[in-house]
Amino acid sequence: MRDMSRRFPPPWSIEERPACFIVSDANGQALAYVYYEEEPGRRTAAKLMTQDEARRIAVNIAKLPVLLKR
Protein backbone atom coordinates (compact mmCIF):
# COMPACT_ATOMS: atom_id res chain seq x y z
CA MET A 1 0.00 0.00 0.00
CA ARG A 2 1.29 3.45 -0.87
CA ASP A 3 1.98 6.00 1.82
CA MET A 4 -0.65 8.67 1.13
CA SER A 5 0.69 10.92 3.88
CA ARG A 6 3.61 12.01 1.68
CA ARG A 7 1.40 13.10 -1.16
CA PHE A 8 -1.59 14.42 0.77
CA PRO A 9 -0.30 15.18 4.28
CA PRO A 10 -2.64 14.86 7.23
CA PRO A 11 -4.53 16.18 8.98
CA TRP A 12 -7.29 16.55 6.43
CA SER A 13 -9.85 19.23 7.20
CA ILE A 14 -13.34 20.17 6.09
CA GLU A 15 -14.51 23.61 5.01
CA GLU A 16 -18.18 24.33 4.49
CA ARG A 17 -19.09 26.50 1.52
CA PRO A 18 -22.48 27.32 0.06
CA ALA A 19 -23.79 24.07 -1.45
CA CYS A 20 -20.68 21.97 -0.74
CA PHE A 21 -18.06 20.75 1.72
CA ILE A 22 -14.40 20.82 0.68
CA VAL A 23 -11.99 18.26 2.12
CA SER A 24 -8.40 19.56 2.06
CA ASP A 25 -5.02 18.21 3.14
CA ALA A 26 -2.60 19.97 5.53
CA ASN A 27 -1.20 22.04 2.64
CA GLY A 28 -4.64 23.32 1.66
CA GLN A 29 -4.88 21.14 -1.46
CA ALA A 30 -8.55 20.41 -2.16
CA LEU A 31 -9.04 16.64 -2.27
CA ALA A 32 -12.82 16.29 -2.53
CA TYR A 33 -15.90 18.41 -3.07
CA VAL A 34 -19.13 16.97 -1.62
CA TYR A 35 -22.18 18.83 -2.94
CA TYR A 36 -25.61 19.17 -1.34
CA GLU A 37 -28.93 20.94 -1.84
CA GLU A 38 -31.40 21.74 0.91
CA GLU A 39 -34.41 22.64 -1.25
CA PRO A 40 -36.23 19.31 -1.82
CA GLY A 41 -37.42 20.00 -5.37
CA ARG A 42 -34.01 21.10 -6.61
CA ARG A 43 -32.30 18.30 -4.65
CA THR A 44 -34.44 15.67 -6.36
CA ALA A 45 -33.99 17.17 -9.82
CA ALA A 46 -30.20 17.42 -9.40
CA LYS A 47 -29.95 14.10 -7.50
CA LEU A 48 -27.94 15.74 -4.72
CA MET A 49 -27.61 14.88 -1.03
CA THR A 50 -28.95 16.77 1.95
CA GLN A 51 -26.50 18.96 3.87
CA ASP A 52 -26.34 16.40 6.69
CA GLU A 53 -25.61 13.51 4.30
CA ALA A 54 -22.87 15.52 2.57
CA ARG A 55 -21.32 16.52 5.90
CA ARG A 56 -21.17 12.89 7.06
CA ILE A 57 -19.46 11.82 3.84
CA ALA A 58 -16.96 14.70 4.02
CA VAL A 59 -16.14 13.82 7.64
CA ASN A 60 -15.53 10.19 6.70
CA ILE A 61 -13.27 11.20 3.79
CA ALA A 62 -11.28 13.44 6.16
CA LYS A 63 -10.74 10.42 8.48
CA LEU A 64 -9.04 8.33 5.76
CA PRO A 65 -5.41 9.11 6.69
CA VAL A 66 -6.04 7.95 10.26
CA LEU A 67 -7.90 4.82 9.15
CA LEU A 68 -5.20 3.87 6.63
CA LYS A 69 -2.47 4.06 9.28
CA ARG A 70 -4.07 1.20 11.22
Side-chain angles (χ1 to χ4, degrees):
M1 184 184 296
R2 294 175 90 168
D3 182 13
M4 288 181 29
S5 64
R6 289 186 298 161
R7 222 167 143 197
F8 305 110
W12 290 2
S13 60
I14 301 166
E15 177 184 351
E16 184 174 358
R17 293 276 181 99
C20 77
F21 291 93
I22 303 171
V23 180
S24 302
D25 69 8
N27 294 328
Q29 171 69 42
L31 305 174
Y33 290 79
V34 185
Y35 291 92
Y36 64 88
E37 174 61 59
E38 282 302 300
E39 202 245 279
R42 291 179 63 179
R43 181 174 59 241
T44 301
K47 298 182 180 174
L48 293 173
M49 295 176 268
T50 65
Q51 184 177 12
D52 186 53
E53 291 168 333
R55 179 183 297 111
R56 284 185 281 160
I57 289 174
V59 165
N60 284 320
I61 292 170
K63 290 179 184 176
L64 283 174
V66 174
L67 295 173
L68 292 174
K69 276 187 170 182
R70 293 181 183 171

